[in-house]
C-alpha cells in the first residue's frame, strides 16, 4: 500500500464500510465471473468488451483482463473491419486509457496497453503522443514524481517510433529537451540520465571533428559547474560529472611468477582477485631444441578449491593461483613456461582488464637440492615474449565519452582546480569532497610514476576521507574502505615497482622476507591487494579495523601473523598456510567456538600457536577449561599441532 | 497510528497478520488484489520461514493452491484462472522449493514455458505471450531455471548480453536499454548476473556508491535519487549491496530503526514507511532486510534468490556464486 496512511476506524465505521462494500464485492465478482466465462468460451464480442471496461475502470492492475480485452479486440472487434473503423476503435481505446491514466497514474499496465494499441492502430499519431508525454512530465514538476520513470520510458519509446516514422534523428531535439528540463530544475536525475544516453549518440551522429567535440564536451562541463554552484549537494549533477570525466580501464598486472621444485608447483600472483575461466597453460621443454609440451596438473586459487557453477563454468577467484603437477609428470625438463591469455580470466569487476597475453618462463638446473623449500623466479621470455600492446581503444572505458588520453591529465587537473575552488566556498560539501578524492585517485592512476607526487595524493585522499567520515555518518564505512586503499597503497609502495602502468614486485623484494612487515595502527578496514604482501613471512596488522582475515589465504608463505585488536568475527583463510606458526588474533570479536574450529578444517600446517584471549568466547575460567577440552577433542583429526594460547 | 517508538521486531504480531490475510473476504480490497494472491503466498510464506514460523501455513493447502494456478503450457497465473506469467511462475517455483514439493508439478513443462519466453535474437525475456520485455523477466527466468537446475534450457550468454545493454552511467541498471537506474531493477540485474556467475561485468565500486547513497537521514532507503524512502528498498538496495560485498556501506543501526518504526504495533505487518497501511509485500521485504542486517532471532536470507538461506543450501545452490 504505497503511501496510504494507516487509520484505525471505529468499529461502527468499519461495519458501515463493510455493509457498503458487500454490494460492491458482489457486483465486482459477478463481473469477473461473467468475464471469465466469456473468455473460456472464446466469446470475443461487444458484451465481453464492455465487461472488461467495467472491471478495468475499477481495477487497472488486473492483467488477465487486459489480456482478454486485447483478445476481444484482435479476434472480435477489429477483425474483418475497414482500416477506417479500426482507426476509430483504437482512437477511442486511447481516449479510454487517457481517462484511466488520470485516475491511476501509477499503473504501468495502462502504458503497456497503450503501446499495444499504438502498434495495432493503422495510423498512429506519434506527435500527439509526444505532446501527451510532455504533459505527463509537466505534472512531474508539480510533484507527481511516482510515475516519472514511466513517463520518461514512454517518451523514449515514442521518440524512437516517431524518429523511424519520419526517418529523421531526434537526438538533437531530445538533447535540447533535457537541457530545458535541467535548466528548469538542476535536480532532475531522469533528465541527466537521458543526457548520458544522448550525448554519445549526438557525437556519433553529427560526425563532429575533434574541436567541435571538445567544445560540446566543454559546454557539458560548464552546465554541471552551473549546477554545482546552484546546489553543491545535489547528487544528480555530481554523478553525471563523474561519468563525464570518465575512467581509464586499469590493467591487471602479474606481480610475480614462481616455480617451487620441491612442491612441484607454479605460483602466480596477480594484483586483482581474478577468476580463471580457462586453465592457464603450463608447458615444458626437455631440451633447447625440443618443442614444448603441456604439463598435466591442477590449478586452484590459494586457500581454495576449484569449484564449478551450474553451467559447469569454473567460478573460483583468487589473487594468488597455484598449479600442482600431477604425480605422473616426470622431472625431465629444462625449461618451464606459463601462459595467461586475456580470455583465460575474468576480472573482479568491470573497471579492470587483462589487456595482453602474459608469458613467464624459467630454466631448470638439475643440481637443485630438493631438501629445502625454495622457489625459482619466472621471468619474461626474452625473445618470444608475446607482449602484444593493447590497442588504445581497449584502455578507454567503453561506457564513457571518448576523450583523448593525452588530454585526460589536463582535464583531470582542470576539474581538480574547479572542485578546489568550490570547496573554498563549501568546505563541508560531501559531494565536492568525494569528487575531489575520485579525481585525485584517477590522476594518480593515469599519471602515476612520480613517487613524490603519488605520496602527496595518497595523503590528501586520506585527509579527505577523514573529513567525509566526520560529515557523512551514514556512509562512514565506505569512506573507511577508501581511506584503507590509499593508506595501504602508500604503506606498501616499497614492495612493488611500476613498469609502463603495470605493477611488479620490486627488485629488492627479498630483503623483506625475513623481517616483520608492519601495517600496525593504520585504521585499515580492508586489505585491498593482499598479493602485494606475498613475500612477507612475518606480518603485523594489529590495531586496525579489519573484520575478516579471509585474505590471508593468498599469503602462502606466512609464518607469523598478528591481527590482534581488530574487529574480526571469524577465523578463515588460514587452514592452508602450511608454514604458519603464530596466529595472534587476541582481542577481536570472535563469538563462538564453531567459528574457530571451522577456520582450521583441513589444516595443512605443522605446529601453530593460536593466541585467542580477549575474544568474547571466553566468559570465565571454568568455561574456558571445558571449552578447551571439548574443542581440542574435536580438532584431533588435524593432529595435535594446534596450540591454543589463552593468556 | 501510534507515535511510540518501536524498538524490536513484533514477531508474534507479524505471524498473526500474515495468517489473517486470507480471512478478509468482506473487504473489497481482498477481491481487487486477487491477481496478487500467488505472489502474496510467496511473500507471506518466506516471511514466516524467516520468522521461524513456516508451519503457520499448512503445507498441503499451499502446495494444492500453487498446483491450481498452473496452466497447460507450464506457466503459472497470479491466481486460479488468471493468465500465466513469468513472474508468477517464479513465485510458484519459489514456494514449491520452500515447501520441498517440486515433484508435485510438471517441472519439464515449467522449463519449456520459461525457455519459450526468451527472445533468441536479443537474449531478453518476455513476461508472457503478449511480449513485454523487462530486466525483471531476465531475473525471473534465470532465477527460476537455476532453482530447477536447468539453466542450460536457455541461451545464458545472450541473456547476459541483454542485461548489460541496460547498464547506465551511474553503474546501475534499468528495465530496458536506455531506461533509468532503479534499485528494483538493479536487484534483478545483479541477482541474475550472480546466478550466471557474471558479476565481473559490474562496476562494483561505482554501483556500490550509488546504492549506499540511497540511505536518507531518517535511515530509510529510496529506490533512486530525489525519491522518498520506502521499506521495500531495504531489500532491493540491500540485497544488491550484499551481493557486491558492500553491505556495510550503509548505516545498519539507522536502517533497522527505520524498518522497525514502519511496523503496525496493533495489527502487525510492516508498511512502506512509518504510519502507513501495512501489506504483506512490505512485511516480507522489511523482514528480509532485517535478516540481511543480522537482526537477532531471524533466519538468514539468501540475497540472490530472496529465499531463506537454509532452503537454498538444501538444494545445493548456496555459495554457488562468487560474492
Amino acid at each position: 500500500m504505497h503511501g496510504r496512511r494507516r487509520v484505525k476506524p471505529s468499529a461502527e465505521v468499519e461495519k458501515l464500510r463493510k455493509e457498503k462494500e458487500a454490494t460492491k464485492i458482489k457486483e465486482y465478482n459477478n463481473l469477473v465471473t461473467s468475464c471469465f466465462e466469456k473468455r473460456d468460451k472464446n466469446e470475443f464480442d461487444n458484451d465481453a468488451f464492455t465487461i472488461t471496461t467495467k472491471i478495468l475502470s475499477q481495477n487497472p492492475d488486473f492483467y488477465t483482463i487486459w489480456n482478454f480485452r486485447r483478445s476481444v479486440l484482435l479476434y472480435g472487434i477489429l477483425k474483418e473491419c475497414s482500416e477506417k473503423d479500426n482507426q476509430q476503435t483504437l482512437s477511442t481505446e486511447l481516449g479510454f486509457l487517457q481517462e484511466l491514466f488520470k485516475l491511476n497514474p501509477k499503473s504501468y499496465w495502462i502504458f503497456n496497453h497503450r503501446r499495444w494499441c499504438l502498434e495495432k492502430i493503422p495510423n498512429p499519431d506519434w506527435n500527439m503522443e509526444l505532446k501527451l508525454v510532455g504533459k505527463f512530465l509537466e505534472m512531474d514538476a508539480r510533484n507527481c514524481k511516482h510515475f516519472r520513470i514511466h513517463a520518461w520510458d514512454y517518451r523514449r519509446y515514442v521518440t524512437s517510433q516517431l524518429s523511424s516514422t519520419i526517418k529523421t534523428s531526434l537526438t538533437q531535439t531530445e538533447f535540447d529537451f533535457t537541457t530545458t528540463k535541467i535548466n528548469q530544475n538542476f535536480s532532475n536525475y531522469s533528465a541527466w540520465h537521458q543526457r548520458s544516453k544522448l550525448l554519445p549518440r549526438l557525437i556519433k551522429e553529427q560526425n563532429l571533428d575533434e574541436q567541435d567535440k571538445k567544445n560540446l564536451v566543454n559546454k557539458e562541463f560548464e552546465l554541471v559547474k552551473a549546477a554545482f554552484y546552484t546546489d553543491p549537494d545535489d547528487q544528480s549533477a555530481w554523478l553525471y560529472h563523474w561519468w563525464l570525466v570518465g575512467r581509464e580501464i586499469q590493467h591487471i598486472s602479474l606481480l610475480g611468477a614462481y616455480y617451487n621444485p620441491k612442491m612441484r608447483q607454479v605460483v602466480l600472483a596477480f594484483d586483482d582477485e581474478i577468476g580463471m575461466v580457462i586453465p592457464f597453460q603450463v608447458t615444458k621443454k626437455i631440451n633447447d631444441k625440443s618443442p614444448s609440451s603441456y604439463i598435466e596438473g591442477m590449478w586452484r586459487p590459494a586457500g581454495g578449491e576449484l569449484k564449478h557453477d551450474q553451467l559447469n563454468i569454473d567460478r573460483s577467484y583468487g589473487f594468488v593461483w597455484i598449479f600442482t603437477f600431477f604425480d605422473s609428470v616426470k622431472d625431465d625438463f629444462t625449461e618451464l613456461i606459463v601462459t595467461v591469455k586475456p580470455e583465460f580470466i575474468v576480472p573482479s569487476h568491470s573497471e579492470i582488464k587483462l589487456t595482453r597475453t602474459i608469458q613467464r618462463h624459467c630454466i631448470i638446473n638439475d643440481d637443485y637440492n630438493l631438501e629445502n623449500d625454495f622457489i625459482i623466479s619466472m621471468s619474461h621470455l626474452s625473445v618470444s615474449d608475446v607482449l602484444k600492446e593493447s590497442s588504445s581503444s581497449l584502455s578507454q572505458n567503453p561506457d564513457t565519452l571518448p576523450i583523448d588520453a593525452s588530454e585526460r591529465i589536463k582535464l583531470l587537473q582542470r576539474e581538480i582546480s574547479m572542485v578546489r575552488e568550490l570547496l573554498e566556498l563549501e568546505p563541508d560539501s560531501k559531494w565536492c569532497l568525494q569528487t575531489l578524492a575520485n579525481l585525485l585517485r584517477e590522476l594518480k592512476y593515469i599519471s602515476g610514476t612520480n613517487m613524490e607526487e603519488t605520496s602527496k595524493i595518497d595523503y590528501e585522499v586520506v585527509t579527505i576521507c577523514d573529513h567525509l567520515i566526520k560529515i557523512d555518518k551514514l556512509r562512514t564505512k565506505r569512506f573507511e574502505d577508501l581511506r584503507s586503499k590509499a593508506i595501504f597503497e602508500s604503506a606498501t609502495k616499497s614492495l612493488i615497482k611500476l613498469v609502463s602502468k603495470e605493477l611488479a614486485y620490486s627488485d629488492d623484494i627479498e630483503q623483506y622476507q625475513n623481517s616483520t612487515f608492519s601495517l600496525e595502527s593504520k585504521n585499515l578496514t580492508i586489505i585491498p591487494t593482499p598479493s602485494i604482501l606475498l613475500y612477507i613471512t612475518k606480518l603485523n596488522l594489529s590495531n586496525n579495523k579489519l573484520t575478516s582475515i579471509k585474505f590471508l589465504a593468498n599469503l602462502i608463505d606466512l609464518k607469523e601473523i598478528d591481527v590482534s585488536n581488530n574487529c574480526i568475527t571469524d577465523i578463515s583463510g588460514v587452514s592452508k598456510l602450511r608454514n604458519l606458526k603464530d596466529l595472534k588474533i587476541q582481542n577481536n570479536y570472535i563469538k563462538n567456538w564453531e567459528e574457530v574450529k571451522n577456520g582450521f578444517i583441513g589444516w595443512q600446517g605443522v605446529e601453530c600457536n593460536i593466541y585467542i584471549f580477549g575474544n568474547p568466547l571466553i566468559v570465565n575460567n571454568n568455561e574456558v577449561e571445558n571449552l578447551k577440552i571439548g574443542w581440542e577433542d574435536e580438532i584431533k583429526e588435524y593432529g595435535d599441532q594446534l596450540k591454543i594460547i589463552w593468556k | 497510528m501510534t507515535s511510540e517508538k518501536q524498538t524490536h521486531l513484533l514477531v508474534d504480531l507479524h505471524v498473526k497478520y500474515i495468517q489473517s490475510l486470507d480471512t478478509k473476504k468482506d473487504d473489497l480490497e481482498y477481491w481487487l488484489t486477487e491477481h496478487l494472491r500467488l505472489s502474496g503466498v510467496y511473500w507471506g510464506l518466506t516471511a514466516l520461514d524467516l520468522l521461524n514460523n513456516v508451519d503457520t501455513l499448512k503445507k498441503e493447502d499451499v502446495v494444492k493452491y500453487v498446483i491450481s494456478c498452473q496452466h497447460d503450457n507450464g506457466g503459472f497465473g497470479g491466481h486460479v484462472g488468471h493468465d500465466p506469467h513469468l513472474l508468477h511462475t517464479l513465485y510458484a517455483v519459489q514456494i514449491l522449493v520452500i515447501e520441498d514439493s517440486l515433484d508435485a508439478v510438471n517441472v519439464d513443462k515449467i522449463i519449456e514455458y520459461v525457455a519459450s519466453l526468451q527472445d533468441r535474437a536479443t537474449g531478453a525475456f518476455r513476461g508472457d505471450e503478449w511480449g513485454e520485455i523487462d530486466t525483471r523477466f531476465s531475473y525471473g527466468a534465470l532465477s527460476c531455471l537455476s532453482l530447477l537446475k536447468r539453466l542450460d534450457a536457455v541461451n545464458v550468454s545472450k541473456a547476459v548480453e541483454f542485461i548489460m545493454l541496460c547498464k547506465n552511467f551511474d553503474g546501475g541498471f534499468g528495465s530496458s536499454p536506455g531506461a533509468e537506474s532503479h534499485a528494483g531493477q538493479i536487484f534483478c540485474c545483479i541477482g541474475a548476473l550472480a546466478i550466471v556467475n557474471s558479476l565481473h561485468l559490474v562496476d562494483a565500486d561505482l554501483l556500490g556508491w550509488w546504492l549506499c547513497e540511497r540511505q536518507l537521514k531518517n535511515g530509510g532507503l529510496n529506490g533512486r535519487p530525489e525519491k522518498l524512502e520506502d521499506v521495500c528498498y531495504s531489500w532491493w538496495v540491500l540485497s544488491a549491496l550484499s551481493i557486491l560485498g558492500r553491505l556495510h556501506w550503509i548505516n545498519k543501526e539507522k536502517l533497522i530503526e527505520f524498518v522497525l518504526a514502519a511496523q503496525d504495533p496493533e495489527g502487525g505487518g510492516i508498511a512502506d514507511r512509518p504510519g502507513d497501511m501495512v501489506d504483506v509485500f512490505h512485511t516480507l521485504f522489511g523482514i528480509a532486510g532485517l535478516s540481511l542486517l543480522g537482526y537477532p532471532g531471524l533466519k538468514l536470507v539468501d540475497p540472490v534468490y530472496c529465499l531463506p538461506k537454509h532452503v537454498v543450501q538444501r538444494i545445493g545452490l548456496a555459495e554457488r556464486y562468487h560474492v
Side-chain angles (χ1 to χ4, degrees), chain A residues 442-629:
Chain A
E442 184 70 14
L443 182 67
K444 172 183 157 180
Y445 176 69
I446 63 168
S447 64
T449 39
N450 181 340
M451 282 293 188
E452 204 181 318
E453 198 61 34
T454 57
S455 292
K456 252 170 70 190
I457 288 179
D458 285 333
Y459 181 75
E460 188 174 2
V461 170
V462 172
T463 317
I464 294 169
C465 289
D466 288 341
H467 193 169
L468 282 164
I469 288 166
K470 276 191 208 120
I471 58 176
D472 187 5
K473 296 268 182 249
L474 292 176
R475 281 159 279 265
T476 50
K477 293 280 195 298
R478 178 171 170 260
F479 302 128
E480 284 178 355
D481 285 357
L482 184 60
R483 182 173 65 184
S484 298
K485 280 190 187 175
I487 293 173
F488 181 84
E489 283 167 24
S490 156
T492 57
K493 240 176 357 217
S494 54
L495 302 178
I496 47 165
K497 62 179 180 185
L498 191 66
V499 188
S500 63
K501 286 194 182 173
E502 285 187 34
L503 297 176
Y505 291 121
S506 67
D507 300 325
D508 54 357
I509 183 83
E510 276 165 37
Q511 70 172 11
Y512 295 95
Q513 213 162 6
N514 291 314
S515 51
T516 301
F517 190 80
S518 178
L519 293 167
E520 187 189 356
S521 304
K522 291 200 179 294
N523 276 322
L524 295 175
T525 52
I526 49 166
I527 300 298
T529 322
S531 46
I532 286 180
L533 305 169
L534 183 70
Y535 265 90
I536 307 301
T537 55
K538 297 174 189 170
L539 182 60
N540 183 356
L541 287 170
S542 63
N543 294 298
N544 281 297
K545 294 176 171 180
L546 299 171
T547 53
S548 165
I549 50 167
K550 215 172 154 195
F551 64 90
L552 289 180
N554 293 289
L555 309 184
I556 51 178
D557 288 331
L558 210 55
K559 290 191 181 104
E560 294 169 20
I561 171 74
D562 187 348
V563 282
S564 59
N565 296 300
N566 275 284
C567 314
I568 297 156
T569 54
D570 62 345
I571 293 185
S572 54
V574 296
S575 70
K576 289 198 162 60
L577 301 179
R578 51 191 195 93
N579 296 327
L580 191 64
K581 299 273 189 296
D582 272 333
L583 171 61
K584 293 185 176 153
I585 197 162
Q586 63 270 30
N587 298 321
N588 274 289
Y589 297 164
I590 302 170
K591 282 200 189 86
N592 64 64
W593 286 92
E594 280 297 302
E595 305 286 6
V596 183
K597 204 180 74 190
N598 290 343
F600 286 96
I601 290 177
W603 169 246
Q604 291 183 353
V606 192
E607 276 187 16
C608 183
N609 300 315
I610 306 159
Y611 297 77
I612 203 151
F613 52 88
N615 278 289
L617 15 87
I618 296 166
V619 186
N620 62 53
N621 276 336
N622 285 340
E623 234 169 295
V624 169
E625 282 311 309
N626 291 338
L627 284 167
K628 190 177 159 186
I629 296 160

Side-chain angles (χ1 to χ4, degrees), chain B residues 85-279:
Chain B
H85 193 279
L86 180 55
L87 292 184
H88 299 303
T89 306
L90 172 64
Y91 294 132
V93 169
Q94 286 172 314
I95 296 167
L96 293 172
V97 169
I98 293 176
E99 298 287 19
D100 199 7
S101 298
L102 274 174
D103 49 4
V105 291
N106 188 336
V107 169
D108 289 339
K109 272 279 174 199
I110 301 177
I111 292 156
E112 206 177 288
Y113 174 73
V114 174
S116 75
L117 294 173
Q118 187 175 33
D119 178 340
R120 298 280 157 162
T122 61
F125 284 87
R126 293 180 284 270
D128 61 15
E129 57 173 316
W130 294 96
E132 193 198 353
I133 296 282
D134 193 305
T135 45
R136 285 182 306 150
F137 308 148
S138 298
Y139 172 76
L142 295 178
S143 176
C144 191
L145 291 175
S146 160
L147 290 169
L148 300 173
K149 318 275 175 75
R150 282 301 308 278
L151 279 171
D152 62 300
V154 292
N155 187 335
V156 167
S157 53
K158 270 278 173 195
V160 170
E161 236 172 68
F162 176 76
I163 292 170
M164 293 318 293
L165 287 179
C166 304
K167 188 178 168 185
N168 291 322
F169 79 109
D170 46 26
F173 294 82
S175 58
S176 57
E180 187 181 332
S181 296
H182 177 286
Q185 307 287 349
I186 290 171
F187 159 77
C188 287
C189 293
I190 294 298
L193 292 173
I195 287 169
V196 298
N197 208 2
S198 297
L199 286 174
H200 61 278
L201 300 171
V202 179
D203 185 350
D205 276 333
L206 181 62
L207 179 53
W209 177 21
W210 190 88
L211 286 167
C212 77
E213 292 295 346
R214 299 303 108 240
Q215 190 165 34
L216 305 177
K217 282 205 178 81
N218 59 15
L221 307 173
N222 63 11
R224 53 208 156 89
E226 299 149 19
K227 297 266 296 181
L228 285 177
E229 68 286 350
D230 183 324
V231 160
C232 66
Y233 295 111
S234 314
W235 178 255
W236 311 121
V237 172
L238 219 51
S239 57
L241 277 172
S242 167
I243 296 168
L244 297 174
R246 285 158 177 79
L247 185 63
H248 59 292
W249 281 9
I250 56 117
N251 185 312
K252 295 184 184 184
E253 291 72 28
K254 293 277 280 182
L255 179 56
I256 290 175
E257 239 172 67
F258 172 76
V259 176
L260 293 179
Q263 299 178 105
D264 178 348
E266 287 160 40
I270 301 175
D272 60 347
R273 61 187 69 97
D276 280 0
M277 296 270 282
V278 302
D279 60 71

Side-chain angles (χ1 to χ4, degrees), chain A residues 373-412:
Chain A
D373 245 2
F374 72 101
I375 53 172
I376 305 166
S377 242
M378 298 177 80
S379 54
H380 284 277
L381 272 176
S382 48
V383 190
S384 59
D385 208 2
V386 207
L387 289 181
K388 256 192 292 173
E389 262 312 323
S390 57
S391 64
S392 59
S393 65
L394 245 179
S395 62
Q396 189 79 45
N397 188 333
D399 293 339
T400 56
L401 286 175
I403 296 173
D404 186 3
S406 60
E407 299 276 307
R408 286 190 53 74
I409 293 181
K410 256 194 270 170
L411 173 90
L412 287 167

Side-chain angles (χ1 to χ4, degrees), chain B residues 45-57:
Chain B
L45 187 68
T46 308
L48 286 171
D49 198 354
L50 296 176
L51 293 167
N52 297 294
N53 267 283
V54 72
D55 296 332
T56 304
L57 300 182

